[in-house]
Amino acid sequence: MKYIADPGMCSMPKVALHPNKKWMILQSLDNRIMTFGADTRYKQNTKKTFKGHLGAGYACGLDMSPDGSYVVSGDGDGYLVIWDWKTAKRFAKIKAHDQVTIDCKWHPYSTSKVVTASWDGLIKLWD
């Protein structure tokens, strides 16, 4: 096991693997999604840091689109946030729930669909 943290890092309770298996994205509790190599070196890719959502204090789920083009995350204010993988820029921010959007998953076969779950007790399918 390799220690991949430094004193400036926050806890990263959620992780998702890129479909090409070369990268992993981690939900940091400082309102960022960070990217690390998934090989044996675990080097951070600072060009692939995704910002613009509220993750501090919540272990919101995240996922990658099946083709690896987009990153999706839940949000502490009830949003579903989508970023472009290549540019790391926010693509969309959708008000999905009235409370924390605690998890989200991209449908593995119907690639235009995302499922969200919230503390409001609802599970929603987005198309």
Side-chain angles (χ1 to χ4, degrees), residues 54 58 60 74-80 94-103 116-122 124:
L54 176 63
Y58 306 98
C60 296
D75 176 272
D77 288 330
Y79 287 94
L80 172 67
I94 302 161
K95 183 66 172 173
H97 295 275
D98 293 331
Q99 294 183 26
V100 176
T101 303
I102 197 66
D103 207 0
T116 59
S118 173
W119 286 0
D120 62 15
L122 298 174
K124 295 182 179 181

Side-chain angles (χ1 to χ4, degrees), residues 66 105-115 125-127:
K105 291 295 175 197
W106 219 286
H107 193 287
Y109 305 114
S110 185
T111 58
S112 66
K113 293 180 171 64
V114 175
V115 175
L125 177 66
W126 299 87
D127 193 0

Side-chain angles (χ1 to χ4, degrees), residues 3 21 23 35 66 85 94 98 120:
Y3 183 68
K21 307 217 183 328
W23 302 102
T35 305
W85 170 255
I94 302 161
D98 293 331
D120 62 15

Side-chain angles (χ1 to χ4, degrees), residues 1 4 11 29-31 33-34 37-38 42 52 61 68 71 77 80-81 85 93 99 117 120 124:
M1 177 175 281
I4 59 171
S11 176
L29 292 183
D30 63 354
N31 300 323
I33 295 174
M34 301 169 77
Y42 302 110
V71 173
D77 288 330
L80 172 67
V81 187
W85 170 255
K93 188 171 183 176
Q99 294 183 26
D120 62 15
K124 295 182 179 181

